Amino acid sequence: MTLTSYIHEGISVTILTLSILFTRNVYIVGATYFLLLLAGDKEHMGFINPAITFAMAVSGSITSRSVLYYWIAQFVGALLGLQIYVSMTRS
């Protein structure tokens, strides 16, 4: 995996987090998830969900080192999304 894969993962999680926090609508969140998966290519994998990342590691599709990097990217992306949401909704 390349650095761009992890950056793509972090940005995708940021967008998904914002979709969840701003809309709280399961259909919009699902559509956002789907579009984020379509936006990636084969190199960027697009797991977005730590459970999917874990399942891919168990199946042998990715290395344990990649799992760690993906989880870090997902965590940072979620925190960034939360920070953006808080800064935009704070009055």
Side-chain angles (χ1 to χ4, degrees), residues 3 5-6 11 13 23 26 28 30 33-37 55 61 67 71 76 83 86-87 90:
L3 180 60
S5 296
Y6 306 120
I11 292 170
V13 172
T23 68
V26 67
I28 293 174
Y33 190 87
F34 177 72
L35 291 172
L36 288 169
L37 291 177
S61 298
V67 170
W71 280 348
V76 170
Q83 183 61 41
V86 167
S87 67
R90 192 177 291 167

Side-chain angles (χ1 to χ4, degrees), residues 32-73:
T32 302
Y33 190 87
F34 177 72
L35 291 172
L36 288 169
L37 291 177
L38 287 179
D41 57 17
K42 189 172 178 75
E43 179 185 340
H44 295 124
M45 307 301 267
F47 301 135
I48 303 173
N49 183 331
I52 295 172
T53 305
F54 181 72
M56 295 300 286
V58 169
S59 73
S61 298
I62 58 174
T63 65
S64 57
R65 177 176 278 186
S66 289
V67 170
L68 178 64
Y69 293 146
Y70 272 114
W71 280 348
I72 290 170

